[in-house]
Amino acid sequence: MQRGLATRGLQKAEVRITKYFIDRFLLNFNSFIQIKNEEKAMGAKKRAMGAKKKGASRGSEDSEELGQVPLQAILLADSFTTKFYPVTLERPKVLLPLVNVPMISYTLAWLKSAGVKEVFVFCCAHSKQVINYLETSGWFCQPGCFAVTAIESHASASAGDALRLIYERDVIHGDFVLISGDTVSDMSLTQVLQEHKERRKKDNNAVMTIVIKPSQIMTHQSRLLGAGELFMAIDPSTKQLLCYEEKADHAKESIFCLDKSLLVGKSSISLHNDREDCYIDICSPEVLSLLADNFDYEDLRHDLLNGLLDDDVMGYKIFTHEIDSSYAAKIDNFRSYDAVSKDIIQRGSYPSMPDIKFTEIGHGTKIADNTEILSSVIGEGCSIGSNVSIEGSYILDNVTIEDGCKLKHAVVCDGVVIKSGAILEPGVVLSFQVVLGEQCTVPSYSKISLFQQPTELADDYSNGIAEISRHINCNVNKPNEVGTGGAGYVWSICDDEWRNSVAPIPADKLAEVIRTTDGSSLTPSGEVKLESSDSEDSDEDTSDFENEVEATFLRAVHENIKLEHVVLEVNSLRLSSNKETAICAGAIFYSMMKLALEAPHDSASELVRAASRVISEWKHLLKNYLSDIDEEIEVIMKFEEMCLESAKEFSSVFDKILYQLYDQEVIQEEAILRWVGEKTDADESDRIFVRQAETFVQWLREAEEDDEE
């Protein structure tokens, strides 16, 4: 099929789809939240660490006046990192497009929908670009009670500096939301704000609440390969955060030390390394005051959070609020950029537009014949030639891709020209205006920019960014780097560049990480009982594990992931959750049968055929976890459980699907007969499916006797 022609014909429809899912994702989160009674203003402890600062003298006499202060937010529009180099040398990360919309728009739209009335956007690197976007896009003149104000600084070198400057401006008058412009969410703030205010009424030292969520699909893998491993200790009765420690993604050891003083006066403590920090915080003004008095606090987690946790003078406390069904994600690197982009497309288009669920094409883009585009986002005004192959890539605006080019899992910025026959191997990043010559092949994970690589990588905020290196002339490039007629410098990269790339993790790298972490990392989470060693959460842990396996399996189905990669991903989940192989086999079979159940069917026979097809397609994955008879029996017992509880539609065809498992050599005869034998003395209610399968079992026994004769 000539995919180029088909894709070109969809462009007008896809423009409408773009507006459809952006409206749905950005604006239709939750109904607007009316915050009626803001927490009374802070009392005498406005000063942090005992230092007298501007506004610290505000006492109880002002609290009534501040009781009705509209909800405010501080949005940091600077990442203060280099993870998106060389792209962020020329454009701030918050203006990079997520499915053709600058990511800061998602954050602002969510804040508006969540009931925030006033947002202060802090701009540092490329501040003029951010302010210009806010002006031209209309965020500065929103209708209703939603005010956006930019605070510009060229001297701030960290998030701590930014908040100290905001403190000096004296614009925050009550509890506020603290967030960065690279965060996408649809959560309601109602409950977390209410919890924060109720705690403040009882304890004025409860100055901060951070939003966390359970790790979802692929997050164990991303924790190992992207953002590092996060360990938290939480008081389960009060949700107070007691310990917060991060390990770098390249750390070889995952050893965490817990101060025994944290155990004093507590009946139990929950330990977690299966939770993600959403980087959405509810803060009281004391947080800003504390930063003002500690000029060495730069990072909001490493310095501020741990500073509050370690403080034994003022006794400040941090609490957690966990979300389950809501969405929240921070775009920390190219890998999370890829994941969040896919989430937005899927959430916005499914189920109404399933056919283009993984591809988005911007307005004005032209695509020639015989061109294939898979699982990619194409910006506006691009020109794509014939016989081009693009897979898993992010093409920004006004990009030219000539005939015969091949791009796989790449990021291509505005104005790039890729001449005919060029090849981008997985993980390549082409920054703005780069030109690749004809037949040029760019190796995996390469980064090319019109700016020379700094001798020492400075952070995004350094000296206006673009001034750190000279813009180059096409003639100074070596032909073997970017091809004849090309323009750009090829940056040197580190050995672990694959960790933070949009490209899928190489199977050998993932296997290596799993081997090095096996046995050395924490179990995902657990509660340290000080009076009892009984575990009451094992069933819940198993259910969470099954949900993660199902999510991994469905991702493999929809994205056509290779079997060996799926096995590695499932193994990483199994190791991180400390689950036996039999539990893993049951979880995979459960996922397979749920997939079969979702297939269109009007009769029991059609359901059996659907199950047979799923078994045939995925039996090799399942058999990776069926190394002995006990694990095969676990699969049969899991199917029994499904038929009685979560998938009762299978109950009438249990025996027929059991036969399919036998016929396709997934379950051995011995496993079936042992399962029947174990049910001999069971109650009649536990023998429902044994009786249903009597004919099949009798046939197996007779066949066995014939073989013996």
Side-chain angles (χ1 to χ4, degrees), residues 82-88 93 96 331-341 394 410-411 413 427-430 447 497 499-503:
T82 61
K83 293 182 179 179
F84 275 79
Y85 267 16
V87 176
T88 48
K93 184 172 74 170
L96 295 182
I331 300 166
D332 188 55
N333 51 44
F334 281 112
R335 187 167 299 285
S336 55
Y337 175 86
D338 175 58
V340 174
S341 296
Y394 297 90
V411 176
C413 294
V428 168
V429 176
L430 301 183
K447 295 181 178 180
E497 201 70 45
R499 292 179 182 271
N500 298 318
S501 168
V502 299

PDB file of all heavy atoms in Angstrom, residues 82-88 93 96 331-341 394 410-411 413 427-430 447 497 499-503:
ATOM      1  N   THR A  82      20.819  20.268  31.638  1.00  0.00           N
ATOM      2  CA  THR A  82      21.350  20.150  30.272  1.00  0.00           C
ATOM      3  C   THR A  82      20.847  18.891  29.560  1.00  0.00           C
ATOM      4  O   THR A  82      21.396  18.501  28.545  1.00  0.00           O
ATOM      5  CB  THR A  82      22.885  20.111  30.316  1.00  0.00           C
ATOM      6  OG1 THR A  82      23.297  18.966  31.078  1.00  0.00           O
ATOM      7  CG2 THR A  82      23.444  21.367  30.955  1.00  0.00           C
ATOM      8  N   LYS A  83      19.811  18.263  30.090  1.00  0.00           N
ATOM      9  CA  LYS A  83      19.377  16.973  29.551  1.00  0.00           C
ATOM     10  C   LYS A  83      18.807  17.077  28.141  1.00  0.00           C
ATOM     11  O   LYS A  83      18.724  16.072  27.436  1.00  0.00           O
ATOM     12  CB  LYS A  83      18.362  16.325  30.489  1.00  0.00           C
ATOM     13  CG  LYS A  83      18.967  15.909  31.823  1.00  0.00           C
ATOM     14  CD  LYS A  83      17.949  15.230  32.718  1.00  0.00           C
ATOM     15  CE  LYS A  83      18.574  14.806  34.031  1.00  0.00           C
ATOM     16  NZ  LYS A  83      17.596  14.162  34.938  1.00  0.00           N
ATOM     17  N   PHE A  84      18.389  18.276  27.723  1.00  0.00           N
ATOM     18  CA  PHE A  84      17.856  18.440  26.373  1.00  0.00           C
ATOM     19  C   PHE A  84      18.837  19.169  25.460  1.00  0.00           C
ATOM     20  O   PHE A  84      18.454  19.664  24.402  1.00  0.00           O
ATOM     21  CB  PHE A  84      16.519  19.190  26.418  1.00  0.00           C
ATOM     22  CG  PHE A  84      15.337  18.297  26.682  1.00  0.00           C
ATOM     23  CD1 PHE A  84      15.055  17.875  27.964  1.00  0.00           C
ATOM     24  CD2 PHE A  84      14.520  17.870  25.654  1.00  0.00           C
ATOM     25  CE1 PHE A  84      13.968  17.062  28.222  1.00  0.00           C
ATOM     26  CE2 PHE A  84      13.432  17.051  25.891  1.00  0.00           C
ATOM     27  CZ  PHE A  84      13.148  16.641  27.183  1.00  0.00           C
ATOM     28  N   TYR A  85      20.102  19.241  25.866  1.00  0.00           N
ATOM     29  CA  TYR A  85      21.124  19.788  24.964  1.00  0.00           C
ATOM     30  C   TYR A  85      21.228  18.912  23.726  1.00  0.00           C
ATOM     31  O   TYR A  85      21.060  17.691  23.823  1.00  0.00           O
ATOM     32  CB  TYR A  85      22.475  19.807  25.681  1.00  0.00           C
ATOM     33  CG  TYR A  85      22.816  21.104  26.379  1.00  0.00           C
ATOM     34  CD1 TYR A  85      21.853  22.058  26.635  1.00  0.00           C
ATOM     35  CD2 TYR A  85      24.122  21.374  26.786  1.00  0.00           C
ATOM     36  CE1 TYR A  85      22.167  23.247  27.262  1.00  0.00           C
ATOM     37  CE2 TYR A  85      24.450  22.558  27.426  1.00  0.00           C
ATOM     38  CZ  TYR A  85      23.462  23.488  27.664  1.00  0.00           C
ATOM     39  OH  TYR A  85      23.768  24.662  28.288  1.00  0.00           O
ATOM     40  N   PRO A  86      21.546  19.429  22.551  1.00  0.00           N
ATOM     41  CA  PRO A  86      21.804  20.837  22.234  1.00  0.00           C
ATOM     42  C   PRO A  86      20.543  21.644  21.911  1.00  0.00           C
ATOM     43  O   PRO A  86      20.629  22.820  21.614  1.00  0.00           O
ATOM     44  CB  PRO A  86      22.698  20.739  21.014  1.00  0.00           C
ATOM     45  CG  PRO A  86      22.215  19.514  20.311  1.00  0.00           C
ATOM     46  CD  PRO A  86      21.805  18.550  21.395  1.00  0.00           C
ATOM     47  N   VAL A  87      19.375  21.001  21.988  1.00  0.00           N
ATOM     48  CA  VAL A  87      18.133  21.675  21.583  1.00  0.00           C
ATOM     49  C   VAL A  87      17.890  22.913  22.435  1.00  0.00           C
ATOM     50  O   VAL A  87      17.522  23.977  21.927  1.00  0.00           O
ATOM     51  CB  VAL A  87      16.944  20.698  21.687  1.00  0.00           C
ATOM     52  CG1 VAL A  87      15.638  21.412  21.374  1.00  0.00           C
ATOM     53  CG2 VAL A  87      17.149  19.517  20.736  1.00  0.00           C
ATOM     54  N   THR A  88      18.108  22.801  23.753  1.00  0.00           N
ATOM     55  CA  THR A  88      17.793  23.927  24.638  1.00  0.00           C
ATOM     56  C   THR A  88      18.856  25.019  24.619  1.00  0.00           C
ATOM     57  O   THR A  88      18.739  26.002  25.351  1.00  0.00           O
ATOM     58  CB  THR A  88      17.575  23.427  26.078  1.00  0.00           C
ATOM     59  OG1 THR A  88      18.647  22.554  26.454  1.00  0.00           O
ATOM     60  CG2 THR A  88      16.266  22.690  26.196  1.00  0.00           C
ATOM     61  N   LYS A  93      13.081  24.512  27.073  1.00  0.00           N
ATOM     62  CA  LYS A  93      12.382  23.229  27.036  1.00  0.00           C
ATOM     63  C   LYS A  93      10.870  23.401  27.087  1.00  0.00           C
ATOM     64  O   LYS A  93      10.122  22.657  26.425  1.00  0.00           O
ATOM     65  CB  LYS A  93      12.845  22.342  28.192  1.00  0.00           C
ATOM     66  CG  LYS A  93      12.239  20.950  28.167  1.00  0.00           C
ATOM     67  CD  LYS A  93      12.856  20.028  29.194  1.00  0.00           C
ATOM     68  CE  LYS A  93      12.414  20.351  30.584  1.00  0.00           C
ATOM     69  NZ  LYS A  93      12.831  19.321  31.563  1.00  0.00           N
ATOM     70  N   LEU A  96       9.217  23.511  23.756  1.00  0.00           N
ATOM     71  CA  LEU A  96       9.287  22.376  22.835  1.00  0.00           C
ATOM     72  C   LEU A  96       7.886  21.783  22.700  1.00  0.00           C
ATOM     73  O   LEU A  96       7.137  21.696  23.676  1.00  0.00           O
ATOM     74  CB  LEU A  96      10.269  21.325  23.354  1.00  0.00           C
ATOM     75  CG  LEU A  96      11.731  21.758  23.421  1.00  0.00           C
ATOM     76  CD1 LEU A  96      12.596  20.600  23.898  1.00  0.00           C
ATOM     77  CD2 LEU A  96      12.228  22.262  22.070  1.00  0.00           C
ATOM     78  N   ILE A 331       8.367  15.871  32.310  1.00  0.00           N
ATOM     79  CA  ILE A 331       9.215  15.547  31.167  1.00  0.00           C
ATOM     80  C   ILE A 331      10.646  15.902  31.539  1.00  0.00           C
ATOM     81  O   ILE A 331      11.057  17.062  31.463  1.00  0.00           O
ATOM     82  CB  ILE A 331       8.747  16.308  29.917  1.00  0.00           C
ATOM     83  CG1 ILE A 331       7.303  15.917  29.611  1.00  0.00           C
ATOM     84  CG2 ILE A 331       9.647  16.004  28.731  1.00  0.00           C
ATOM     85  CD1 ILE A 331       6.625  16.822  28.622  1.00  0.00           C
ATOM     86  N   ASP A 332      11.382  14.900  31.937  1.00  0.00           N
ATOM     87  CA  ASP A 332      12.716  15.117  32.487  1.00  0.00           C
ATOM     88  C   ASP A 332      13.818  14.916  31.458  1.00  0.00           C
ATOM     89  O   ASP A 332      14.908  15.462  31.587  1.00  0.00           O
ATOM     90  CB  ASP A 332      12.924  14.177  33.683  1.00  0.00           C
ATOM     91  CG  ASP A 332      14.198  14.481  34.434  1.00  0.00           C
ATOM     92  OD1 ASP A 332      14.370  15.638  34.859  1.00  0.00           O
ATOM     93  OD2 ASP A 332      15.032  13.563  34.591  1.00  0.00           O
ATOM     94  N   ASN A 333      13.556  14.110  30.439  1.00  0.00           N
ATOM     95  CA  ASN A 333      14.560  13.818  29.419  1.00  0.00           C
ATOM     96  C   ASN A 333      13.849  13.369  28.146  1.00  0.00           C
ATOM     97  O   ASN A 333      12.626  13.350  28.084  1.00  0.00           O
ATOM     98  CB  ASN A 333      15.546  12.745  29.920  1.00  0.00           C
ATOM     99  CG  ASN A 333      14.819  11.526  30.460  1.00  0.00           C
ATOM    100  OD1 ASN A 333      13.863  11.037  29.866  1.00  0.00           O
ATOM    101  ND2 ASN A 333      15.247  11.038  31.626  1.00  0.00           N
ATOM    102  N   PHE A 334      14.621  13.023  27.129  1.00  0.00           N
ATOM    103  CA  PHE A 334      14.008  12.637  25.859  1.00  0.00           C
ATOM    104  C   PHE A 334      13.158  11.377  25.996  1.00  0.00           C
ATOM    105  O   PHE A 334      12.159  11.215  25.285  1.00  0.00           O
ATOM    106  CB  PHE A 334      15.081  12.432  24.788  1.00  0.00           C
ATOM    107  CG  PHE A 334      15.602  13.714  24.200  1.00  0.00           C
ATOM    108  CD1 PHE A 334      16.906  14.123  24.429  1.00  0.00           C
ATOM    109  CD2 PHE A 334      14.783  14.529  23.426  1.00  0.00           C
ATOM    110  CE1 PHE A 334      17.400  15.312  23.894  1.00  0.00           C
ATOM    111  CE2 PHE A 334      15.254  15.717  22.882  1.00  0.00           C
ATOM    112  CZ  PHE A 334      16.569  16.118  23.123  1.00  0.00           C
ATOM    113  N   ARG A 335      13.522  10.481  26.880  1.00  0.00           N
ATOM    114  CA  ARG A 335      12.740   9.250  27.039  1.00  0.00           C
ATOM    115  C   ARG A 335      11.353   9.574  27.605  1.00  0.00           C
ATOM    116  O   ARG A 335      10.340   9.046  27.127  1.00  0.00           O
ATOM    117  CB  ARG A 335      13.476   8.247  27.922  1.00  0.00           C
ATOM    118  CG  ARG A 335      12.772   6.885  27.972  1.00  0.00           C
ATOM    119  CD  ARG A 335      13.656   5.819  28.581  1.00  0.00           C
ATOM    120  NE  ARG A 335      14.872   5.611  27.827  1.00  0.00           N
ATOM    121  CZ  ARG A 335      14.944   4.968  26.670  1.00  0.00           C
ATOM    122  NH1 ARG A 335      13.844   4.466  26.123  1.00  0.00           N
ATOM    123  NH2 ARG A 335      16.089   4.818  26.046  1.00  0.00           N
ATOM    124  N   SER A 336      11.287  10.419  28.630  1.00  0.00           N
ATOM    125  CA  SER A 336       9.982  10.784  29.172  1.00  0.00           C
ATOM    126  C   SER A 336       9.213  11.677  28.196  1.00  0.00           C
ATOM    127  O   SER A 336       7.982  11.650  28.164  1.00  0.00           O
ATOM    128  CB  SER A 336      10.144  11.461  30.532  1.00  0.00           C
ATOM    129  OG  SER A 336      11.013  12.569  30.463  1.00  0.00           O
ATOM    130  N   TYR A 337       9.917  12.460  27.389  1.00  0.00           N
ATOM    131  CA  TYR A 337       9.267  13.245  26.325  1.00  0.00           C
ATOM    132  C   TYR A 337       8.524  12.309  25.369  1.00  0.00           C
ATOM    133  O   TYR A 337       7.372  12.564  24.984  1.00  0.00           O
ATOM    134  CB  TYR A 337      10.318  14.048  25.578  1.00  0.00           C
ATOM    135  CG  TYR A 337       9.820  14.823  24.384  1.00  0.00           C
ATOM    136  CD1 TYR A 337       9.276  16.101  24.532  1.00  0.00           C
ATOM    137  CD2 TYR A 337       9.900  14.299  23.098  1.00  0.00           C
ATOM    138  CE1 TYR A 337       8.824  16.826  23.440  1.00  0.00           C
ATOM    139  CE2 TYR A 337       9.451  15.013  22.001  1.00  0.00           C
ATOM    140  CZ  TYR A 337       8.914  16.271  22.173  1.00  0.00           C
ATOM    141  OH  TYR A 337       8.464  16.976  21.082  1.00  0.00           O
ATOM    142  N   ASP A 338       9.161  11.222  25.006  1.00  0.00           N
ATOM    143  CA  ASP A 338       8.550  10.230  24.121  1.00  0.00           C
ATOM    144  C   ASP A 338       7.332   9.595  24.784  1.00  0.00           C
ATOM    145  O   ASP A 338       6.263   9.472  24.183  1.00  0.00           O
ATOM    146  CB  ASP A 338       9.606   9.178  23.768  1.00  0.00           C
ATOM    147  CG  ASP A 338       9.048   8.036  22.948  1.00  0.00           C
ATOM    148  OD1 ASP A 338       8.506   8.289  21.864  1.00  0.00           O
ATOM    149  OD2 ASP A 338       9.152   6.875  23.407  1.00  0.00           O
ATOM    150  N   ALA A 339       7.471   9.215  26.058  1.00  0.00           N
ATOM    151  CA  ALA A 339       6.380   8.540  26.761  1.00  0.00           C
ATOM    152  C   ALA A 339       5.163   9.445  26.926  1.00  0.00           C
ATOM    153  O   ALA A 339       4.024   9.023  26.685  1.00  0.00           O
ATOM    154  CB  ALA A 339       6.873   8.059  28.127  1.00  0.00           C
ATOM    155  N   VAL A 340       5.386  10.697  27.321  1.00  0.00           N
ATOM    156  CA  VAL A 340       4.265  11.614  27.540  1.00  0.00           C
ATOM    157  C   VAL A 340       3.591  11.958  26.210  1.00  0.00           C
ATOM    158  O   VAL A 340       2.363  12.070  26.137  1.00  0.00           O
ATOM    159  CB  VAL A 340       4.739  12.883  28.268  1.00  0.00           C
ATOM    160  CG1 VAL A 340       3.609  13.903  28.365  1.00  0.00           C
ATOM    161  CG2 VAL A 340       5.240  12.530  29.667  1.00  0.00           C
ATOM    162  N   SER A 341       4.368  12.117  25.150  1.00  0.00           N
ATOM    163  CA  SER A 341       3.782  12.385  23.836  1.00  0.00           C
ATOM    164  C   SER A 341       2.828  11.268  23.433  1.00  0.00           C
ATOM    165  O   SER A 341       1.705  11.520  22.958  1.00  0.00           O
ATOM    166  CB  SER A 341       4.887  12.544  22.784  1.00  0.00           C
ATOM    167  OG  SER A 341       5.698  13.668  23.046  1.00  0.00           O
ATOM    168  N   TYR A 394      10.047  12.333  16.099  1.00  0.00           N
ATOM    169  CA  TYR A 394       9.410  13.615  16.383  1.00  0.00           C
ATOM    170  C   TYR A 394      10.018  14.664  15.457  1.00  0.00           C
ATOM    171  O   TYR A 394      11.178  15.041  15.604  1.00  0.00           O
ATOM    172  CB  TYR A 394       9.590  13.992  17.851  1.00  0.00           C
ATOM    173  CG  TYR A 394       8.907  12.995  18.754  1.00  0.00           C
ATOM    174  CD1 TYR A 394       9.591  11.866  19.222  1.00  0.00           C
ATOM    175  CD2 TYR A 394       7.567  13.134  19.079  1.00  0.00           C
ATOM    176  CE1 TYR A 394       8.952  10.921  20.009  1.00  0.00           C
ATOM    177  CE2 TYR A 394       6.914  12.188  19.860  1.00  0.00           C
ATOM    178  CZ  TYR A 394       7.610  11.092  20.322  1.00  0.00           C
ATOM    179  OH  TYR A 394       6.968  10.158  21.090  1.00  0.00           O
ATOM    180  N   ALA A 410      13.974   9.295  16.049  1.00  0.00           N
ATOM    181  CA  ALA A 410      14.836  10.475  16.029  1.00  0.00           C
ATOM    182  C   ALA A 410      14.040  11.707  16.445  1.00  0.00           C
ATOM    183  O   ALA A 410      12.808  11.717  16.427  1.00  0.00           O
ATOM    184  CB  ALA A 410      15.428  10.674  14.638  1.00  0.00           C
ATOM    185  N   VAL A 411      14.766  12.755  16.823  1.00  0.00           N
ATOM    186  CA  VAL A 411      14.182  14.068  17.105  1.00  0.00           C
ATOM    187  C   VAL A 411      14.794  15.051  16.115  1.00  0.00           C
ATOM    188  O   VAL A 411      16.019  15.202  16.064  1.00  0.00           O
ATOM    189  CB  VAL A 411      14.460  14.520  18.550  1.00  0.00           C
ATOM    190  CG1 VAL A 411      13.928  15.936  18.776  1.00  0.00           C
ATOM    191  CG2 VAL A 411      13.840  13.550  19.549  1.00  0.00           C
ATOM    192  N   CYS A 413      14.554  19.007  14.760  1.00  0.00           N
ATOM    193  CA  CYS A 413      14.034  20.325  15.138  1.00  0.00           C
ATOM    194  C   CYS A 413      13.701  21.192  13.921  1.00  0.00           C
ATOM    195  O   CYS A 413      13.972  20.823  12.773  1.00  0.00           O
ATOM    196  CB  CYS A 413      15.038  21.040  16.038  1.00  0.00           C
ATOM    197  SG  CYS A 413      15.253  20.244  17.645  1.00  0.00           S
ATOM    198  N   GLY A 427      17.819   7.168  17.966  1.00  0.00           N
ATOM    199  CA  GLY A 427      18.328   8.024  19.024  1.00  0.00           C
ATOM    200  C   GLY A 427      18.974   9.304  18.566  1.00  0.00           C
ATOM    201  O   GLY A 427      19.455  10.084  19.391  1.00  0.00           O
ATOM    202  N   VAL A 428      18.978   9.591  17.283  1.00  0.00           N
ATOM    203  CA  VAL A 428      19.643  10.802  16.767  1.00  0.00           C
ATOM    204  C   VAL A 428      18.822  12.045  17.122  1.00  0.00           C
ATOM    205  O   VAL A 428      17.590  12.033  17.073  1.00  0.00           O
ATOM    206  CB  VAL A 428      19.834  10.701  15.243  1.00  0.00           C
ATOM    207  CG1 VAL A 428      20.247  12.041  14.648  1.00  0.00           C
ATOM    208  CG2 VAL A 428      20.869   9.632  14.916  1.00  0.00           C
ATOM    209  N   VAL A 429      19.519  13.134  17.459  1.00  0.00           N
ATOM    210  CA  VAL A 429      18.893  14.434  17.699  1.00  0.00           C
ATOM    211  C   VAL A 429      19.537  15.451  16.766  1.00  0.00           C
ATOM    212  O   VAL A 429      20.755  15.660  16.808  1.00  0.00           O
ATOM    213  CB  VAL A 429      19.061  14.888  19.159  1.00  0.00           C
ATOM    214  CG1 VAL A 429      18.494  16.296  19.351  1.00  0.00           C
ATOM    215  CG2 VAL A 429      18.396  13.916  20.114  1.00  0.00           C
ATOM    216  N   LEU A 430      18.719  16.075  15.900  1.00  0.00           N
ATOM    217  CA  LEU A 430      19.194  17.135  15.015  1.00  0.00           C
ATOM    218  C   LEU A 430      18.611  18.448  15.507  1.00  0.00           C
ATOM    219  O   LEU A 430      17.389  18.641  15.486  1.00  0.00           O
ATOM    220  CB  LEU A 430      18.760  16.875  13.570  1.00  0.00           C
ATOM    221  CG  LEU A 430      19.232  15.559  12.924  1.00  0.00           C
ATOM    222  CD1 LEU A 430      18.762  15.505  11.467  1.00  0.00           C
ATOM    223  CD2 LEU A 430      20.741  15.408  13.009  1.00  0.00           C
ATOM    224  N   LYS A 447      24.221  13.615  18.303  1.00  0.00           N
ATOM    225  CA  LYS A 447      23.588  14.921  18.453  1.00  0.00           C
ATOM    226  C   LYS A 447      24.330  15.915  17.571  1.00  0.00           C
ATOM    227  O   LYS A 447      25.556  16.019  17.653  1.00  0.00           O
ATOM    228  CB  LYS A 447      23.612  15.372  19.911  1.00  0.00           C
ATOM    229  CG  LYS A 447      22.777  14.491  20.839  1.00  0.00           C
ATOM    230  CD  LYS A 447      22.823  14.993  22.277  1.00  0.00           C
ATOM    231  CE  LYS A 447      21.942  14.137  23.176  1.00  0.00           C
ATOM    232  NZ  LYS A 447      21.960  14.609  24.586  1.00  0.00           N
ATOM    233  N   GLU A 497      24.306   7.262  26.604  1.00  0.00           N
ATOM    234  CA  GLU A 497      23.343   8.157  25.969  1.00  0.00           C
ATOM    235  C   GLU A 497      22.022   7.450  25.695  1.00  0.00           C
ATOM    236  O   GLU A 497      20.960   8.084  25.643  1.00  0.00           O
ATOM    237  CB  GLU A 497      23.934   8.694  24.665  1.00  0.00           C
ATOM    238  CG  GLU A 497      23.293   9.974  24.170  1.00  0.00           C
ATOM    239  CD  GLU A 497      23.633  11.173  25.043  1.00  0.00           C
ATOM    240  OE1 GLU A 497      24.813  11.338  25.402  1.00  0.00           O
ATOM    241  OE2 GLU A 497      22.703  11.940  25.354  1.00  0.00           O
ATOM    242  N   ARG A 499      20.301   5.766  27.580  1.00  0.00           N
ATOM    243  CA  ARG A 499      19.386   5.786  28.722  1.00  0.00           C
ATOM    244  C   ARG A 499      18.280   6.826  28.553  1.00  0.00           C
ATOM    245  O   ARG A 499      17.139   6.606  28.958  1.00  0.00           O
ATOM    246  CB  ARG A 499      20.156   6.085  30.020  1.00  0.00           C
ATOM    247  CG  ARG A 499      21.113   4.995  30.457  1.00  0.00           C
ATOM    248  CD  ARG A 499      21.841   5.409  31.731  1.00  0.00           C
ATOM    249  NE  ARG A 499      22.795   4.402  32.160  1.00  0.00           N
ATOM    250  CZ  ARG A 499      22.511   3.382  32.967  1.00  0.00           C
ATOM    251  NH1 ARG A 499      21.287   3.259  33.431  1.00  0.00           N
ATOM    252  NH2 ARG A 499      23.432   2.510  33.305  1.00  0.00           N
ATOM    253  N   ASN A 500      18.627   7.985  27.983  1.00  0.00           N
ATOM    254  CA  ASN A 500      17.700   9.105  27.939  1.00  0.00           C
ATOM    255  C   ASN A 500      17.237   9.430  26.525  1.00  0.00           C
ATOM    256  O   ASN A 500      16.911  10.572  26.224  1.00  0.00           O
ATOM    257  CB  ASN A 500      18.354  10.338  28.562  1.00  0.00           C
ATOM    258  CG  ASN A 500      18.689  10.120  30.018  1.00  0.00           C
ATOM    259  OD1 ASN A 500      17.898   9.551  30.761  1.00  0.00           O
ATOM    260  ND2 ASN A 500      19.864  10.551  30.435  1.00  0.00           N
ATOM    261  N   SER A 501      17.199   8.445  25.667  1.00  0.00           N
ATOM    262  CA  SER A 501      16.858   8.647  24.262  1.00  0.00           C
ATOM    263  C   SER A 501      15.398   8.303  23.995  1.00  0.00           C
ATOM    264  O   SER A 501      14.757   7.587  24.769  1.00  0.00           O
ATOM    265  CB  SER A 501      17.772   7.781  23.399  1.00  0.00           C
ATOM    266  OG  SER A 501      17.321   7.738  22.073  1.00  0.00           O
ATOM    267  N   VAL A 502      14.855   8.814  22.869  1.00  0.00           N
ATOM    268  CA  VAL A 502      13.515   8.408  22.454  1.00  0.00           C
ATOM    269  C   VAL A 502      13.533   7.009  21.835  1.00  0.00           C
ATOM    270  O   VAL A 502      12.476   6.423  21.609  1.00  0.00           O
ATOM    271  CB  VAL A 502      12.903   9.408  21.445  1.00  0.00           C
ATOM    272  CG1 VAL A 502      12.773  10.789  22.048  1.00  0.00           C
ATOM    273  CG2 VAL A 502      13.709   9.450  20.152  1.00  0.00           C
ATOM    274  N   ALA A 503      14.715   6.489  21.562  1.00  0.00           N
ATOM    275  CA  ALA A 503      14.818   5.156  20.957  1.00  0.00           C
ATOM    276  C   ALA A 503      14.533   4.082  22.002  1.00  0.00           C
ATOM    277  O   ALA A 503      14.835   4.256  23.183  1.00  0.00           O
ATOM    278  CB  ALA A 503      16.211   4.951  20.365  1.00  0.00           C
TER     279      ALA A 503
END
